[in-house]
Amino acid sequence: MKNQLQNQEKKLGIASLLQKGEDSKEDFLKEELEYDGKQDGDISKSIIYQLEVKKIYLDPDLTLVKFSSIVGTNTTYLSNTVNRRFGMNLKTLVNRYRVEHAKRLMEVWDSALDIGELIRASGFSSRSIFYSAFRREVGMTPTRYWSRLERKTNES
């Protein structure tokens, strides 16, 4: 706890507290840590709501700045919350949602249709970003995944 308090004190840059006694600093920093935890929770709830309900990941122009504005926080808080609560950066989190959306679309999408449409419908801004994110998340290319889906459908 003491190390965490010292780190928080450095992060907050509270010069006036340096003159105060240890008890005063500890009480103040405990309050700050509790506030940060509550704020993290509020931000993460908003992130989940925006991703799960509003599906903002479908916006190909979504940026950290735009997302933080939607969530109602600044980019630093948003980025830190995503890192702490989800264990990844925002780009990876958004792309994970986009890939899952693309996989659901592939289940009902006619493979004869343009894959570019599927890419755009999943919120990706380019084919290369889509292929890279898909391969990272699924472990195979979208084409191979789609072929496997079609094979399973034909076997049924």
Side-chain angles (χ1 to χ4, degrees):
M1 177 73 173
K2 192 156 188 133
N3 283 342
Q4 191 178 15
L5 292 172
Q6 288 170 342
N7 290 341
Q8 187 70 14
E9 183 177 301
K10 287 177 189 173
K11 192 166 85 175
L12 293 171
I14 304 168
S16 63
L17 282 178
L18 295 175
Q19 284 81 34
K20 293 186 179 184
E22 286 298 314
D23 291 339
S24 298
K25 285 194 285 188
E26 191 166 320
D27 290 342
F28 175 81
L29 293 171
K30 277 182 187 174
E31 288 174 19
E32 284 298 310
L33 289 170
E34 287 171 13
Y35 175 75
D36 280 352
K38 181 184 181 309
Q39 188 175 22
D40 253 16
D42 292 344
I43 293 170
S44 64
K45 285 178 190 172
S46 184
I47 291 167
I48 292 167
Y49 174 78
Q50 292 300 328
L51 291 170
E52 296 283 337
V53 177
K54 295 291 190 175
K55 299 187 183 329
I56 64 168
Y57 57 87
L58 296 176
D59 177 0
D61 299 320
L62 187 64
T63 62
L64 176 62
V65 172
K66 191 173 186 178
F67 201 158
S68 63
S69 175
I70 291 167
V71 168
T73 189
N74 65 42
T75 57
T76 302
Y77 281 143
L78 177 64
S79 183
N80 289 341
T81 301
V82 169
N83 288 329
R84 276 194 298 269
R85 296 288 178 143
F86 301 96
M88 63 190 74
N89 64 35
L90 182 64
K91 183 176 96 173
T92 302
L93 179 65
V94 168
N95 282 343
R96 183 167 287 174
Y97 271 87
R98 288 173 174 165
V99 167
E100 287 303 314
H101 186 81
K103 285 169 51 181
R104 287 191 302 275
L105 286 178
M106 286 177 175
E107 291 175 8
V108 296
W109 199 277
D110 182 355
S111 62
L113 295 173
D114 180 29
I115 193 162
E117 286 297 316
L118 181 124
I119 291 168
R120 284 185 290 282
S122 300
F124 286 97
S125 58
S126 77
R127 183 179 300 255
S128 61
I129 294 170
F130 170 68
Y131 270 80
S132 176
F134 197 96
R135 186 174 187 112
R136 187 174 27 259
E137 291 298 321
V138 181
M140 66 181 80
T141 65
T143 308
R144 187 166 182 211
Y145 181 83
W146 212 335
S147 295
R148 285 187 174 188
L149 276 178
E150 286 183 328
R151 237 182 317 190
K152 284 181 185 176
T153 304
N154 292 337
E155 290 173 1
S156 300

